[in-house]
Amino acid sequence: MRAHLIGCSDCGLVQVLPSVSADAVAECARCGHGLARPAGRGIDMSLAFSAAALLLLLPTALSPLMSLISFSVQRRSWLPSGVEALWNDGFGPLATVVFLFSIAVPFIYLALMVWVLGALRLGIAVPLGKLFRWAGELRPWAMIEVYLVGCCVAYSRLQDIGTVHVNVGGWCLIAATCSTLLAAISLDERAVWNALPSCAEPASSGRSISCGACALLSDTVREDAACPRCGATLHRRKPDTMRRTLALVVAGYLLYLPANLLPVLSIERFGREDPNTILSGVHELMSSGLWPLAAIVFTASILVPLMKLFGLSLMLVMTRWRSRRWLVGRTRLFRFIDFVGRWSNIDLFMISILVALVQFGALTRVRPEAGSLAFAAVVVITMIASRCFDPRVMWDEADST
Ligand SMILES: [Zn+2]
Ligand SMILES: [Zn+2]
């Protein structure tokens, strides 16, 4: 790989990216952010796993995931049946979120990856930068692995109601998830970006704008120009980052209490209604002896949203104070909360599966409740908040003192 200038996406430092050997990674000299992974991976492995995951998604969507036998009646759950059940119960926004994150976005993301990597592999000269940027932007919202954990939690909770079996779609979901994760692990994004043609020469000075999507430095002084490689609008920093993040964090705090205090679902057994909050769901898993799952749900649903809200608040306040304290630690914390936020959707997916499967008329029935809407809003808002925040402004403000 030819050494060239690169702008760190986490702290903004413009530096020379050296050639990386097969057993080394290149890290930012100031904040430690990984700039390039070991060379020599190529794109074949990632292409193969992405294609396998895309093919496996078809039987996952078209075959039953799991079946529940209770009161001598068998019910089956498909990938889209949770969406349909939530929609029919009048929870349209929740149905939309589950549809997008578990079905639509994973399909589109994997199709884009296969298209871009396949075209690169075959040497087809078509503009791919925009498509690869879209794939990168969609990746956090393609939650097939989170859906799988939601299925595991639903499977454990269904044991109290009847006999549960994993069907063909369920096994394909596990295989598709493994393939998606292996595709992500084997992907060397920097190698793909470097292989993509750019209609501009790489920047030669530090007085350039670094593209937020592909990190290409462009010799332009004009903001709002398009990146010559991926087409993203160039900004020195994410526009209006402090105010947008603040507004979303405040909205997140306001919704956090109803999300945790109101029931997210209710179980009707022989006419008796049993409302369940997020915390009571965790308690139920603990009572059944499922400690690891209880710990995962407690961390993902209760601790992670709170940690995101506190973490982003800390970053906003310290940036406003132009503090130089814990800059590297704060940048690492930001990277972590941006990464883990999507795992809070485990409970939403679990609710969609229970609502679709547990429908035995007056005997046993699960219904979604208003708390699930507030919870979905907290998860989505905190995810958007962390994507709106630009960690480079922490370094800019500290440098301006
Ligand atoms: Zn950095
Ligand atoms: Zn770009």
Side-chain angles (χ1 to χ4, degrees), residues 339-350:
F339 171 74
V340 296
R342 55 212 290 280
W343 287 94
S344 302
N345 285 288
I346 290 173
D347 253 18
L348 290 183
F349 294 142
M350 184 268 300

Side-chain angles (χ1 to χ4, degrees), residues 10-13 30 236-238 241 319 322-324 327 390-401:
D10 279 13
C11 74
L13 181 71
R30 187 158 71 165
R236 287 195 186 281
R237 299 294 178 256
K238 289 180 185 173
T241 174
T319 307
R322 298 182 169 172
S323 169
R324 296 196 64 84
L327 268 172
D390 192 333
R392 293 173 294 184
V393 295
M394 297 194 291
W395 295 84
D396 296 345
E397 291 295 317
D399 285 344
S400 69
T401 51

Side-chain angles (χ1 to χ4, degrees), residues 133 193 211-216 227-232 234:
R133 169 167 64 86
W193 281 124
C211 172
C214 72
L216 181 76
C227 170
R229 183 160 63 184
C230 73
L234 293 173

Side-chain angles (χ1 to χ4, degrees), residues 8-13 15 28-33 35 331 335 395:
C8 174
S9 61
D10 279 13
C11 74
L13 181 71
Q15 56 208 289
C28 170
R30 187 158 71 165
C31 74
H33 176 54
L35 299 175
T331 309
R335 219 175 291 145
W395 295 84

Side-chain angles (χ1 to χ4, degrees), residues 63-76:
S63 316
L65 297 177
M66 60 174 102
S67 55
L68 172 68
I69 303 167
S70 187
F71 307 107
S72 307
V73 177
Q74 186 183 45
R75 285 192 60 84
R76 284 176 167 173

Side-chain angles (χ1 to χ4, degrees), residues 17-34:
L17 180 67
S19 298
V20 181
S21 61
D23 55 353
V25 292
E27 290 182 345
C28 170
R30 187 158 71 165
C31 74
H33 176 54

